[in-house]
Amino acid sequence: MKIEQVLSALERFAPLPLQESWDNAGLQIGLTEAEVSGALLCLDVTEKVIDEALSRGCNLVVSHHPLLFRGLKQVSDQTDVQRTVRRAIKHDICVISMHTNLDNAQGGVNWKMAERLVGRNTEAIQPMGEAPKQSQWVMATLPCPMAAEDFVRLVKERFGVKCAHCNELLQRPVRTVAICGGAGDFVLDEAIRQKADAFITGEMHYHQYFGHEQEIQICVIGHYESEQFTTEVFQDIIRRDCPGVPTYIAETTTNPIIYL
């Protein structure tokens, strides 16, 4: 099977027109007519990720965050992006990124987050978007109402995080949860209008925590942590539409933030 077939499968699931205007999803590096030897699935593309692809015999890397956001003025060894580009080209590794198009696609990043929270009960997950096939965020319904403290504890457990940034604990039970991976603070006001009891996202500006005491339970878990299971979405798509292509979820941790 050729790399272009894998690319087509990914773009059928998350069409490029769904991406935001500032984004650069899709093919990043390489020739798609090559036979695919294996696909390494990751959140970010770094030199270490390229090395892992080489060690696994993969000539394709599929990432969530694009390696190339802006045009390069030179390709040398001045930055980590330039070094990664050079390494990928040198070893004939193709790089594909599915970013905000996967955020906005039904069944994409936000759905995977909701599954981690409430399981695969699709009736408990409702897309919230402006178009039939678009879902900028989702609303999930917990099986049973729970106290805010127990809810935060559940979130930390399901996403494997040691801490979460929260506002004042809600004094009413939490049942409906607005979910948006990555930098999802733009959803907060709409989540409140939709009467969500809680809001989970990856990062949020400081001043947005103010003024929502006892209105909604904010739970911010980290950008990487919120999107870490996106690789499972890639794996499901490739296994379904490109049977026989070996897929590997990267073991290289690319989160640049450490907690001390």
Side-chain angles (χ1 to χ4, degrees), residues 127-146:
M128 307 297 288
E130 299 177 356
K133 292 185 178 181
Q134 185 172 350
S135 176
Q136 290 185 311
W137 58 286
V138 300
M139 185 84 82
T141 303
L142 298 172
C144 299
M146 59 174 57

Side-chain angles (χ1 to χ4, degrees), residues 42-98:
C42 61
L43 203 62
D44 309 282
V45 188
T46 64
E47 289 181 272
K48 289 183 178 179
V49 167
I50 298 298
D51 288 341
E52 183 177 345
L54 287 170
S55 69
R56 292 181 178 274
C58 297
N59 63 350
L60 172 61
V61 170
V62 181
S63 73
H64 180 45
H65 296 139
L67 174 61
L68 301 175
F69 261 119
R70 302 169 185 86
L72 295 177
K73 301 228 181 237
Q74 65 181 44
V75 180
S76 62
D77 62 353
Q78 296 297 306
T79 67
D80 56 339
V81 172
Q82 291 180 27
R83 290 190 295 270
T84 302
V85 169
R86 290 183 67 237
R87 196 161 189 79
I89 293 173
K90 178 179 179 180
H91 295 283
D92 291 324
I93 292 179
C94 187
V95 177
I96 294 170
S97 301
M98 297 282 114

Side-chain angles (χ1 to χ4, degrees), residues 173-192:
V174 172
R175 185 73 191 275
T176 56
V177 185
I179 299 173
C180 185
D185 52 14
F186 66 94
V187 167
L188 180 61
D189 290 342
E190 182 61 24
I192 293 169

Side-chain angles (χ1 to χ4, degrees), residues 2-227:
K2 294 185 176 181
I3 290 174
E4 62 186 0
Q5 292 172 275
V6 178
L7 176 61
S8 294
L10 292 167
E11 290 186 358
R12 282 196 301 273
F13 184 89
L16 292 182
L18 290 182
Q19 71 179 314
E20 302 298 330
S21 59
W22 48 263
D23 200 6
N24 186 41
L27 178 65
Q28 306 279 293
I29 296 171
L31 303 177
T32 60
E33 293 183 358
E35 296 288 331
V36 58
S37 60
L40 183 69
L41 315 175
C42 61
L43 203 62
D44 309 282
V45 188
T46 64
E47 289 181 272
K48 289 183 178 179
V49 167
I50 298 298
D51 288 341
E52 183 177 345
L54 287 170
S55 69
R56 292 181 178 274
C58 297
N59 63 350
L60 172 61
V61 170
V62 181
S63 73
H64 180 45
H65 296 139
L67 174 61
L68 301 175
F69 261 119
R70 302 169 185 86
L72 295 177
K73 301 228 181 237
Q74 65 181 44
V75 180
S76 62
D77 62 353
Q78 296 297 306
T79 67
D80 56 339
V81 172
Q82 291 180 27
R83 290 190 295 270
T84 302
V85 169
R86 290 183 67 237
R87 196 161 189 79
I89 293 173
K90 178 179 179 180
H91 295 283
D92 291 324
I93 292 179
C94 187
V95 177
I96 294 170
S97 301
M98 297 282 114
H99 192 212
T100 53
N101 53 322
L102 193 68
D103 290 331
N104 294 334
Q106 290 201 31
V109 176
N110 301 320
W111 288 74
K112 179 57 67 174
M113 289 180 66
E115 283 182 12
R116 298 295 301 189
L117 188 66
V118 302
R120 290 182 175 268
N121 179 10
T122 56
E123 293 183 359
I125 306 172
Q126 298 298 320
M128 307 297 288
E130 299 177 356
K133 292 185 178 181
Q134 185 172 350
S135 176
Q136 290 185 311
W137 58 286
V138 300
M139 185 84 82
T141 303
L142 298 172
C144 299
M146 59 174 57
E149 186 174 3
D150 294 332
F151 167 74
V152 173
R153 189 178 297 113
L154 175 68
V155 172
K156 289 169 63 178
E157 174 191 330
R158 295 288 168 87
F159 289 89
V161 299
K162 296 179 180 179
C163 64
H165 291 183
C166 304
N167 61 343
E168 178 182 276
L169 287 176
L170 204 63
Q171 296 303 308
R172 69 172 190 270
V174 172
R175 185 73 191 275
T176 56
V177 185
I179 299 173
C180 185
D185 52 14
F186 66 94
V187 167
L188 180 61
D189 290 342
E190 182 61 24
I192 293 169
R193 281 193 288 270
Q194 295 293 334
K195 302 189 183 304
D197 297 315
F199 175 50
I200 301 174
T201 191
E203 58 180 285
M204 205 169 83
H205 287 87
Y206 172 78
H207 292 285
Q208 289 185 286
Y209 288 84
F210 286 97
H212 302 298
E213 297 81 8
Q214 301 309 312
E215 186 174 38
I216 192 169
Q217 182 62 63
I218 296 169
C219 189
V220 179
I221 60 175
H223 196 122
Y224 180 93
E225 289 82 357
S226 72
E227 297 178 334

